[in-house]
Amino acid sequence: MDRSTILQWNCRGFRANFEELKLLSSKQDINIIALQEIKLKPTDSSSLLGYDFYKKCMLSSNDSATGGTAVLIKKGTPHHALTLNTELQAVAVRVSLHTLVTVCSIYLPPGRRPDDSAKLDHLLSQLPPPVLLLGDFNAHSDLWGEQVSRPNSHILENFIDNNDLCLLNNGAYTYLHPASGTFSAI
């Protein structure tokens, strides 16, 4: 494999955006797809032709699908799913690209709790390096291009700093709010 393409997307519903995802995967040679807010139940069938699908589903108090995350690996790409011991919405796969890499898709819903820092550290300790953490962390900080930092962004900032992680955002906006038309770097 000369080149590897990775797509990370908070799709806000796997089914709601399935046709767009299918089109993207047919037009681009994407090896790894990390999705957040897939909004699938554990019993929902989910697949994308040509990909192996690994997911962690979440249910609300009324048993409707909420949040969740997934990693899709192009068939033929050597890989194996990792078993994680975490309350976080995270899925990890060890994949052979040019080298062995652990890809972890994570979704952190809005509203950090003080114990999230320890949960993130525990998750990271289960992931063989090198690691790509791909996800929607719902954190707004000027460190990654947001105009105004939010109070709970320090949890993610400290996690990055304490674990010698590199942030792969050059400050470009990553989100367009559909109602207001405003951009942000979440």
Side-chain angles (χ1 to χ4, degrees):
M1 210 177 288
D2 292 355
R3 185 183 81 123
S4 299
T5 303
I6 301 170
L7 170 69
Q8 182 272 315
W9 182 21
N10 178 328
C11 64
R12 293 187 161 185
F14 180 76
R15 284 198 194 105
N17 290 291
F18 181 75
E19 291 302 318
E20 191 171 351
L21 184 60
K22 194 164 75 170
L23 182 65
L24 269 172
S25 66
S26 71
K27 299 250 184 226
Q28 301 292 321
D29 186 21
I30 303 172
N31 303 86
I32 300 168
I33 301 172
L35 300 174
Q36 298 79 44
E37 280 196 272
I38 58 173
K39 297 182 181 177
L40 292 171
K41 292 183 177 183
T43 56
D44 288 341
S45 63
S46 48
S47 64
L48 182 63
L49 188 63
Y51 288 86
D52 293 317
F53 196 108
Y54 305 94
K55 65 184 177 181
K56 181 166 185 178
C57 301
M58 301 303 291
L59 298 175
S60 67
S61 57
N62 66 355
D63 283 337
S64 61
T66 183
T69 190
V71 173
L72 289 75
I73 306 291
K74 190 172 199 167
K75 290 192 183 290
T77 304
H79 69 278
H80 68 276
L82 298 176
T83 302
L84 300 176
N85 178 18
T86 183
E87 296 173 23
L88 296 174
Q89 297 179 47
V91 175
V93 177
R94 190 82 168 141
V95 60
S96 179
L97 297 174
H98 302 290
T99 186
L100 274 176
V101 177
T102 301
V103 175
C104 181
S105 178
I106 184 168
Y107 175 63
L108 297 179
R112 299 284 172 278
R113 295 175 305 279
D115 65 342
D116 280 351
S117 180
K119 288 177 183 177
L120 286 166
D121 287 337
H122 179 66
L123 172 65
L124 188 61
S125 74
Q126 299 174 64
L127 304 174
V131 174
L132 285 173
L133 285 175
L134 306 171
D136 181 350
F137 295 86
N138 276 298
H140 302 260
S141 171
D142 59 353
L143 287 180
W144 45 86
E146 188 59 44
Q147 297 294 322
V148 178
S149 291
R150 294 209 179 147
N152 287 332
S153 64
H154 72 279
I155 293 172
L156 194 56
E157 292 169 359
N158 291 339
F159 172 69
I160 291 168
D161 190 43
N162 294 341
N163 289 288
D164 268 346
L165 300 175
C166 295
L167 183 64
L168 297 178
N169 184 351
N170 62 5
Y173 293 127
T174 60
Y175 179 70
L176 169 63
H177 192 280
S180 68
T182 58
F183 291 94
S184 60
I186 303 176

